[in-house]
Amino acid sequence: MITLKSLAELAGHKLPTAVDIREVGPRDGLQLEEALSLEQKIEFIDALARTGVRRIEVTSFVSPTAVPALADAHDLVQELDRWPHIEFCALVAGYGGAKRALAAGITHLQYVISASDGHAQANAGKTVQESVHAGRAIIDLVHRSSGICEVIIATAFDCPFDGPTEPAQVAGIVSQLVVAGADRLTLADTIGTATPDRVLDLLQAIRPLYPDLAVGLHLHNTRDTAMANVLAALLIGVTDFDAAVGGLGGCPFAPGASGNLATEDLVNFLEDMGISTGIDLDATGEAGSLVAGFLDRPLNSALSKCSPRIGFTYATHRNHSLTGI
Amino acid sequence: MITLKSLAELAGHKLPTAVDIREVGPRDGLQLEEALSLEQKIEFIDALARTGVRRIEVTSFVSPTAVPALADAHDLVQELDRWPHIEFCALVAGYGGAKRALAAGITHLQYVISASDGHAQANAGKTVQESVHAGRAIIDLVHRSSGICEVIIATAFDCPFDGPTEPAQVAGIVSQLVVAGADRLTLADTIGTATPDRVLDLLQAIRPLYPDLAVGLHLHNTRDTAMANVLAALLIGVTDFDAAVGGLGGCPFAPGASGNLATEDLVNFLEDMGISTGIDLDATGEAGSLVAGFLDRPLNSALSKCSPRIGFTYATHRNHSLTGI
């Protein structure tokens, strides 16, 4: 009898019994939205803290002109000691942002670098190789402040400008930044085009080279492939996934388009299979409802529109009767 | 290097190189909607025929009071010789419906039987065992008319009334109906609660016993698990999947809730991985737009809100720049 566990073992891996989900709603989820107030963000993070999540990507230190929704990054960081049990991190795209982040007092930085020149230019005004140079300096800066510097590879699968990204290109960037001291790595499916075969390819092009490096996935569900990509990654032992409550992060210029993989959908999926997340589904629903109220629009997650299977109340789905299959 | 192909081989199976998608939009997708006119249905099926799909679940012969949207089943079947290259099938839930379907001239019938008493009573007013008896008579009737009788097991994973369905319960029903001559089998995740581990369990409880029986999956994407379930099934060699263009089939009492796995999302997912479907994505989009216009509401599919990766036009996603990961 083939099970997910035995499939993973046949592949030389161990199916995780627990997964560590990082909540990215406050940063990736909100960055393109109308700015929430500092008070609303505090309320949102407070609601997220009640879900049991252990890691939160809380903001970014980038141009406030480009991303006005996160222009309050410094002020928000001053509030983070309210939640001492949560590991917060903030995204930076350049040296100036890294300095501002450290000055604000946050010590876990995520340096985002695009794997493709087209996106690197659009996102950071640099080539990939210039971004690698900047990354070396940022890692050094963070380490001199006794901080942690994660590297996030954007457009790790496809670039909206340059097309498909070769795994070797990603591996080359990673190798330079690992040598420079990167503490952890996240591979991002920026435009939601990854499929399970490519997830396997990319992860296997990188993870075996750095067995001690934590490698996570940042998936968007734009084309309804994110959960299948999670499954593929689980089968080769990946345990770190980004997700945003309510599937926040859709593009406001494409109403209804899915954003990040939704935290509650991922939690439901994993917990149902006996893979623990430490995250409470009811509390996640409350955090989602809160932010949906702030944004004044419905959420993108599946579970915002139905009940989870775990503990679902029977006889509440009568609409499914009458030839329903 | 582990690939999906090698994973399937390690599991003793062959990853499909081609998948046969059955379009269920005209039946499962429309049954709970306001009734379309016969002319609209013909236009819809005509648009579906242009996608290249080879099999369509076109209607059901059930109580017109219970399912008024499909009350024109007899008349619709009279139109089906417009598309001689398509294999049409119609759902029935009892002997009377089967007689009416055959009298109308359709010869591929799908007898739907619930795996749980709660759903069997709500759906067909019978116990499971009474439904098995009815199934035997229907299979016999269909065969005497030289037709094909497929069996669809509803609530094969969970029942909204009775809770989880044991694979052994499904296997018991299947064995009785296979002995009675069932020509093919579809396992339905009626309320969209299946996860990959349970897909593997159920399929392996049944397929090895009947190596010559075509076994397909009918998945709902209610909890964003359908594509991961497809991946699990592919890894053990399943090639037959139901899907509905636009993700039709959501419950009208739960606005926005996902319905069937969307045909275009499944096609994009499979074709991107080199698994051929014979279905044209552009034509699928046109069929979806057509029916969205008839129903006067947006579709549930992911691809109705973005472009597919295959052949996607670069530099059209500028909104993803500026710290977008």
Side-chain angles (χ1 to χ4, degrees):
Chain A
M1 183 75 135
I2 295 293
T3 62
L4 297 179
K5 187 164 178 283
S6 70
L7 264 178
E9 280 164 11
L10 287 167
H13 294 273
K14 196 174 168 308
L15 188 77
T17 55
V19 151
D20 191 9
I21 296 175
R22 172 166 61 185
E23 173 63 43
V24 301
R27 198 285 300 177
D28 198 15
L30 295 181
Q31 69 176 1
L32 293 176
E33 300 286 350
E34 287 288 310
L36 300 192
S37 70
L38 187 62
E39 291 65 34
Q40 287 174 321
K41 289 183 183 183
I42 290 168
E43 215 181 318
F44 180 32
I45 295 167
D46 214 41
L48 291 173
R50 285 193 292 273
T51 67
V53 74
R54 292 173 295 275
R55 298 189 294 140
I56 297 180
E57 181 183 82
V58 75
T59 189
S60 67
F61 286 82
V62 293
S63 158
T65 317
V67 187
L70 305 183
D72 61 359
H74 181 95
D75 293 344
L76 184 57
V77 167
Q78 306 318 306
E79 306 291 336
L80 299 184
D81 52 8
R82 293 167 183 254
W83 306 283
H85 57 294
I86 306 249
E87 182 191 324
F88 291 102
C89 54
L91 183 138
V92 301
Y95 195 82
K99 281 205 293 191
R100 287 190 289 122
L102 292 167
I106 194 160
T107 55
H108 180 158
L109 267 54
Q110 310 159 274
Y111 174 57
V112 59
I113 175 171
S114 304
S116 54
D117 280 321
H119 191 260
Q121 287 288 0
N123 206 39
K126 296 193 275 278
T127 64
V128 171
Q129 203 47 49
E130 286 163 356
S131 303
V132 169
H133 290 310
R136 287 200 191 98
I138 289 168
I139 291 167
D140 187 51
L141 175 72
V142 174
H143 284 174
R144 279 187 281 116
S145 302
S146 306
I148 292 168
C149 193
E150 170 183 345
V151 167
I152 303 183
I153 313 279
T155 61
F157 295 92
D158 287 300
C159 171
F161 308 109
D162 299 349
T165 306
E166 287 301 315
Q169 165 77 359
V170 179
I173 297 166
V174 170
S175 78
Q176 296 179 73
L177 293 174
V178 168
V179 166
D183 297 298
R184 59 188 300 158
L185 176 68
T186 297
L187 302 170
D189 180 20
T190 304
I191 56 172
T193 52
T195 40
D197 52 345
R198 302 171 80 216
V199 167
L200 294 178
D201 281 357
L202 181 59
L203 284 165
Q204 292 177 100
I206 290 169
R207 288 168 87 226
L209 305 176
Y210 315 104
D212 298 329
L213 185 70
V215 180
L217 276 181
H218 176 100
L219 299 168
H220 285 240
N221 198 30
T222 320
R223 287 163 187 79
D224 194 24
T225 61
M227 208 68 89
N229 291 337
V230 168
L231 177 60
L234 290 172
L235 291 174
I236 56 169
V238 173
T239 59
D240 291 356
F241 297 93
D242 286 358
V245 70
L248 291 175
C251 169
F253 308 113
S258 293
N260 287 279
L261 176 58
T263 308
E264 57 269 46
D265 296 343
L266 180 57
V267 169
N268 176 66
F269 177 77
L270 294 169
E271 295 279 350
D272 196 88
M273 296 195 293
I275 299 172
S276 76
T277 63
I279 297 180
D280 180 75
L281 267 179
D282 288 340
T284 306
E286 285 162 23
S289 298
L290 183 79
V291 77
F294 291 158
L295 299 172
D296 194 24
R297 61 171 175 75
L299 300 173
N300 278 328
S301 68
L303 277 198
S304 65
K305 296 155 197 153
C306 65
S307 58
R309 188 179 85 94
I310 316 153
F312 85 108
T313 309
Y314 304 134
T316 58
H317 293 72
R318 291 204 170 264
N319 47 274
H320 284 286
S321 63
L322 299 168
T323 76
I325 58 159
Chain B
M1 185 74 133
I2 295 293
T3 61
L4 296 180
K5 186 164 178 282
S6 69
L7 264 177
E9 280 163 11
L10 287 166
H13 294 274
K14 196 174 171 306
L15 189 77
T17 54
V19 152
D20 191 9
I21 296 175
R22 171 166 62 185
E23 173 63 44
V24 300
R27 198 285 301 177
D28 198 13
L30 295 181
Q31 68 177 2
L32 293 176
E33 301 285 350
E34 287 289 310
L36 301 191
S37 70
L38 187 63
E39 291 65 35
Q40 287 174 320
K41 290 184 183 181
I42 291 168
E43 216 181 318
F44 180 33
I45 296 167
D46 212 42
L48 291 173
R50 285 193 292 272
T51 67
V53 73
R54 293 173 295 275
R55 296 188 296 141
I56 297 179
E57 180 184 84
V58 74
T59 190
S60 66
F61 286 83
V62 293
S63 157
T65 317
V67 187
L70 305 183
D72 61 358
H74 181 95
D75 293 345
L76 183 58
V77 167
Q78 307 318 306
E79 306 291 335
L80 300 183
D81 52 7
R82 294 166 183 254
W83 307 283
H85 57 295
I86 306 252
E87 181 191 326
F88 291 101
C89 54
L91 183 138
V92 301
Y95 195 82
K99 281 205 291 190
R100 286 190 291 124
L102 292 167
I106 193 159
T107 56
H108 180 158
L109 268 53
Q110 310 159 276
Y111 174 57
V112 58
I113 174 170
S114 304
S116 54
D117 280 321
H119 192 261
Q121 287 289 359
N123 207 39
K126 295 193 276 277
T127 64
V128 171
Q129 203 47 50
E130 286 164 355
S131 304
V132 168
H133 290 311
R136 288 199 191 99
I138 289 167
I139 291 166
D140 186 51
L141 175 71
V142 174
H143 285 173
R144 278 187 280 120
S145 302
S146 306
I148 292 169
C149 194
E150 170 182 346
V151 168
I152 303 182
I153 313 280
T155 64
F157 296 92
D158 289 300
C159 170
F161 309 108
D162 299 349
T165 305
E166 288 301 316
Q169 165 76 359
V170 179
I173 297 166
V174 170
S175 77
Q176 296 179 73
L177 292 174
V178 168
V179 167
D183 297 298
R184 58 189 301 159
L185 176 68
T186 297
L187 302 169
D189 180 19
T190 303
I191 56 173
T193 52
T195 40
D197 52 346
R198 302 170 80 215
V199 167
L200 294 179
D201 281 357
L202 181 58
L203 284 165
Q204 292 177 101
I206 290 169
R207 288 168 87 226
L209 305 176
Y210 315 105
D212 298 328
L213 185 70
V215 179
L217 276 181
H218 176 99
L219 299 168
H220 284 240
N221 199 30
T222 320
R223 287 163 187 80
D224 194 24
T225 61
M227 209 67 90
N229 291 338
V230 168
L231 177 59
L234 290 172
L235 290 174
I236 55 169
V238 173
T239 57
D240 289 356
F241 297 92
D242 285 358
V245 69
L248 291 175
C251 170
F253 309 112
S258 294
N260 288 279
L261 175 59
T263 308
E264 55 269 47
D265 296 343
L266 180 58
V267 169
N268 176 66
F269 177 77
L270 294 168
E271 295 278 351
D272 196 87
M273 297 194 293
I275 299 172
S276 75
T277 63
I279 297 180
D280 180 75
L281 267 178
D282 288 339
T284 306
E286 284 162 25
S289 299
L290 181 78
V291 76
F294 291 158
L295 298 172
D296 194 25
R297 62 171 174 75
L299 299 173
N300 278 327
S301 68
L303 277 197
S304 65
K305 296 153 195 155
C306 65
S307 58
R309 188 180 86 94
I310 317 152
F312 85 107
T313 311
Y314 304 133
T316 58
H317 293 72
R318 291 207 170 262
N319 45 278
H320 285 287
S321 63
L322 299 168
T323 76
I325 59 161

